[in-house]
Amino acid sequence: MTSSHESSKRLLFPLVNALVFMMLFGVIGYYLLDLTRWLLAGMVTGLGIGLVVEFGLGLIGGWIYRRRVLLSALLEVVLVIAFVGPFAYFYMNTTPKQHTVCCIEGSGLGDAVEAVRIPVANGETLAGWYAPPVDGSGAVVMVLHGNGGDRTGSLAHARVLHEEGFGVLVYDQRASGESTGHQRSIGLYDQRDITPIIDWLAARPEVDEQRIGGVGLSLGAHILLGAAPDELRLKALWADGLGVNNGDDLPPSDSPSDVLINFISRQAYWMAEAYLDEQLIPCKQLIPQVAPRPLMLVAGGQDPFEGEFNRAYEPYLGEHGELWIIDNAGHTAGLRTEPELYPARMIDFFDKALRQ
């Protein structure tokens, strides 16, 4: 009787630990819209660690067993920082975000705009809207949206360009909006799509293959930058909101909080590379390979990290690159905060690169 009662008492810690992990993993599941699965994962993980600690350390006994709660808490903190948090960070950015996108009539891209579906790498198809150039130059600019968005997030920039006569293409990245794909890839798989997209544009009679450029917003900037070294037909690149591609792009750690953030980030990049089976190339390595084509880096000065990241890239730009930090703008918010200067600089940039 006593032995049975003692065994029941020893189950208390594993059960409490399972509850703690269910709450922890439940937060992750809530944001990933997959609550049930993450609750179950938390329960199994917490219960497993609790049983190992309670009965494994119970065999040792003594001081170690009496400090089992403290030891397990330390173990779980390390587990969360080194694995759970980084995994949730990149996994959240690889789940599909497919949905209906509305509506072409409100795109503001003119009467000639058309809905298109472009076949790209790995048998996927990208859904988008294409408006041909109206100035006779044959110049077209692709405008790529940010992470988790769709083509509507590109429209403000596309309208500015189209109003000045450029052809524009906005599209949903793979596994986003109405495009096919079973997972997003933090831009890695999307880089392969730029060449088939340019092939599709070049086949249009009104498009000059030598006058194709790109605007990338946030993740879109990473996609274009990753594709540019091999796709030489991408003649000019406007990269707004570029962050870091991997641990080599991270700034030095000047404080304990920086050390923690950089460690979690490096873990996330490492897990992402293993999960996606692709290598993340540092922006510092990619930027010099855009030359001699023009490259504009635009950063929001109000973002706590964006200005620092992009200032670190400035030495790699060379004579054909330029950095513009918009002090009063947040992430990719320059067009909104500088409604006159931003369009003027962007139009001038593509005028010189594609129409002269």
Side-chain angles (χ1 to χ4, degrees):
M1 185 74 173
T2 302
S3 177
S4 175
H5 179 67
E6 185 66 25
S7 297
S8 297
K9 285 180 61 178
R10 295 187 66 183
L11 286 174
L12 179 62
F13 172 71
L15 291 173
V16 171
N17 206 54
L19 180 61
V20 170
F21 263 72
M22 286 180 70
M23 290 188 290
L24 173 66
F25 279 41
V27 173
I28 298 172
Y30 173 79
Y31 285 105
L32 297 182
L33 303 179
D34 193 7
L35 184 60
T36 301
R37 185 181 303 181
W38 281 89
L39 284 173
L40 289 173
M43 181 183 70
V44 171
T45 303
L47 184 63
I49 292 175
L51 289 171
V52 169
V53 169
E54 177 66 34
F55 291 95
L57 294 184
L59 296 176
I60 300 174
W63 180 89
I64 291 180
Y65 178 68
R66 291 194 298 272
R67 299 294 187 274
R68 64 192 182 282
V69 175
L70 175 62
L71 292 173
S72 61
L74 292 174
L75 172 64
E76 288 161 4
V77 167
V78 171
L79 179 67
V80 169
I81 293 175
F83 297 102
V84 177
F87 177 81
Y89 173 77
F90 89 79
Y91 184 79
M92 181 172 59
N93 291 298
T94 58
T95 54
K97 293 281 187 179
Q98 288 152 322
H99 54 269
T100 301
V101 178
C102 183
C103 294
I104 192 170
E105 294 81 8
S107 67
L109 298 180
D111 295 334
V113 65
E114 57 183 287
V116 298
R117 289 195 171 270
I118 304 173
V120 291
N122 310 112
E124 306 298 352
T125 302
L126 305 182
W129 296 327
Y130 168 70
V134 296
D135 63 353
S137 69
V140 175
V141 180
M142 303 175 287
V143 188
L144 279 63
H145 64 77
N147 189 32
D150 58 47
R151 75 195 87 149
T152 60
S154 313
L155 282 177
H157 290 72
R159 290 185 190 118
V160 169
L161 292 161
H162 189 61
E163 287 170 3
E164 294 296 322
F166 290 94
V168 292
L169 171 69
V170 295
Y171 68 90
D172 306 329
Q173 292 153 23
R174 54 174 59 212
S176 301
E178 295 177 332
S179 293
T180 65
H182 68 282
Q183 69 178 167
R184 293 180 297 138
S185 63
I186 56 177
L188 286 172
Y189 300 164
D190 302 270
Q191 296 170 11
R192 307 169 185 163
D193 298 335
I194 299 303
T195 289
I197 290 171
I198 293 180
D199 289 341
W200 183 89
L201 286 169
R204 307 276 304 201
E206 73 277 7
V207 177
D208 184 340
E209 184 178 10
Q210 299 304 312
R211 297 176 184 270
I212 297 174
V215 171
L217 306 175
S218 192
L219 179 63
H222 287 266
I223 293 169
L224 290 175
L225 184 63
D230 295 323
E231 184 42 83
L232 300 181
R233 293 175 298 174
L234 185 61
K235 296 300 183 181
L237 172 54
W238 180 277
D240 188 339
L242 193 68
V244 297
N245 255 7
N246 73 3
D248 292 339
D249 285 332
L250 292 169
S253 302
D254 296 326
S255 67
S257 62
D258 289 342
V259 172
L260 179 61
I261 291 171
N262 285 356
F263 173 76
I264 294 174
S265 297
R266 289 178 184 276
Q267 285 292 101
Y269 297 138
W270 168 68
M271 290 183 179
E273 287 183 327
Y275 181 68
L276 297 169
D277 195 27
E278 292 276 349
Q279 183 180 4
L280 289 159
I281 308 299
C283 292
K284 293 176 181 177
Q285 182 176 329
L286 294 169
I287 287 171
Q289 298 182 60
V290 178
R293 294 163 290 172
L295 167 63
M296 172 67 83
L297 298 183
V298 182
Q302 295 297 312
D303 185 281
F305 301 108
E306 193 169 300
E308 182 181 9
F309 294 156
N310 281 267
R311 286 188 183 93
Y313 298 148
E314 191 170 16
Y316 301 89
L317 284 170
E319 62 178 311
H320 298 283
E322 187 176 355
L323 171 64
W324 179 24
I325 295 181
I326 307 175
D327 292 331
N328 61 334
H331 181 58
T332 68
L335 180 58
R336 185 171 63 253
T337 57
E338 293 288 351
E340 295 182 2
L341 181 58
Y342 191 108
R345 291 195 66 166
M346 185 168 63
I347 293 301
D348 181 65
F349 174 82
F350 284 111
D351 262 339
K352 293 175 179 177
L354 303 181
R355 295 202 290 202
Q356 293 182 3

